[in-house]
Amino acid sequence: MASSAPSSAYSRSGTGRGSATGSRKTTPSSAGKAGKKGSLTCSSDSSIGKLTAAHPRPSAKLNPKTVDPFKSPAKNQSAFAAVYTNGGVPCRLFHGSVKHKLAWDTSPEQVPFDPILVTLAEGLKESVHPYMFVARTGFKELLEVEGATGKVSPILPKVCIAVRAALSHAEGSVFESALDALLQLSEVAGPLLNQHLKLLIVPIAKRMMEKKHRDRITEALQTLEQNGGKEALPSIKSKVPTYSSIFG
């Protein structure tokens, strides 16, 4: 009987140590710490996302505004964008290694100015790539074809209305491109443009007080007078009284 006591005591002692090391129970405090750690991780990820949205990467500033090819067509898509997307303009943007250019499906000499030139003129107010590039480059290249004066003459009123709309655009870059397009049109139309000058100069005169456009506008008015002759001066002076004639 005496020898059995130490054995049972040893057994209870061994069992106790095995229980303490073999299975550790999760206490409420440890579960709370794990939950807090997970919460902190989520909060950190959320903060990083907000920081990225507030401060976009520098590379985002290097690319112009571009149409998202994976986005469904907008309900308020411009007329030019719709026509171009549906193949109504016989040219496509060619992405070169150095610079972009237009690839015409039909030779520009054979492209009908009515309605293609009018459509391109309406696209001059585009500010999103590739529409703005196609409209501006296409307009310029059509006016460079042989016999452009005779082709543009019958549709000059339509073209002038479209150019005026671009000149009235709020964005400065669109206005400057429209001004370039107007001078290209003036080189081709010459005095034929005089009867439309008042219509075209109204939005130009409104920007005359803007310092960044003032010199460019003065040069443009001089070019319009030179291409239109002395008959162009009254129309220019009626909208910009401070203008000084190049003919003295």
Side-chain angles (χ1 to χ4, degrees):
M1 295 293 291
S3 61
S4 63
S7 176
S8 61
Y10 177 82
S11 175
R12 286 197 301 271
S13 177
T15 303
R17 285 195 299 270
S19 175
T21 57
S23 58
R24 293 187 178 180
K25 296 181 179 179
T26 302
T27 62
S29 60
S30 63
K33 290 179 181 178
K36 289 180 180 179
K37 184 177 180 180
S39 177
L40 288 173
T41 302
C42 294
S43 177
S44 176
D45 292 342
S46 177
S47 300
I48 292 174
K50 292 179 180 179
L51 183 62
T52 303
H55 303 281
R57 297 180 178 180
S59 59
K61 299 179 181 180
L62 300 178
N63 299 319
K65 290 185 291 184
T66 307
V67 175
D68 185 355
F70 301 104
K71 187 177 181 181
S72 58
K75 293 182 179 180
N76 59 344
Q77 189 180 42
S78 68
F80 176 78
V83 171
Y84 176 74
T85 302
N86 293 327
V89 180
C91 64
R92 285 292 176 268
L93 177 63
F94 177 78
H95 296 273
S97 58
V98 178
K99 63 179 181 179
H100 302 324
K101 65 179 182 179
L102 288 185
W104 291 89
D105 301 332
T106 304
S107 173
E109 287 76 11
Q110 298 177 356
V111 172
F113 275 38
D114 188 8
I116 303 302
L117 185 68
V118 177
T119 302
L120 291 169
E122 291 172 348
L124 292 172
K125 60 179 180 290
E126 295 288 341
S127 58
V128 178
H129 185 77
Y131 306 131
M132 64 180 185
F133 179 85
V134 172
R136 297 170 188 179
T137 307
F139 186 83
K140 177 177 179 294
E141 292 186 1
L142 279 190
L143 289 179
E144 291 175 346
V145 304
E146 186 177 354
T149 301
K151 295 180 179 181
V152 78
S153 178
I155 59 173
L156 199 54
K158 295 179 183 179
V159 174
C160 287
I161 291 175
V163 172
R164 186 187 189 280
L167 288 168
S168 302
H169 200 280
E171 289 192 24
S173 60
V174 175
F175 170 76
E176 292 173 359
S177 296
L179 199 59
D180 290 338
L182 174 59
L183 298 184
Q184 294 159 10
L185 183 63
S186 175
E187 294 289 345
V188 173
L192 294 174
L193 196 62
N194 288 345
Q195 59 182 315
H196 305 286
L197 283 183
K198 288 184 179 180
L199 174 74
L200 293 164
I201 294 176
V202 170
I204 296 176
K206 291 180 179 179
R207 291 186 181 262
M208 193 68 185
M209 299 307 294
E210 297 180 19
K211 186 176 180 180
K212 63 179 180 179
H213 298 306
R214 189 180 305 156
D215 293 341
R216 184 76 182 94
I217 288 175
T218 300
E219 293 173 0
L221 294 177
Q222 291 173 345
T223 301
L224 291 173
E225 183 186 8
Q226 184 176 10
N227 292 335
K230 293 183 178 180
E231 293 77 13
L233 182 60
S235 297
I236 297 175
K237 294 282 286 186
S238 68
K239 302 303 176 183
V240 187
T242 57
Y243 174 75
S244 298
S245 174
I246 58 174
F247 297 111

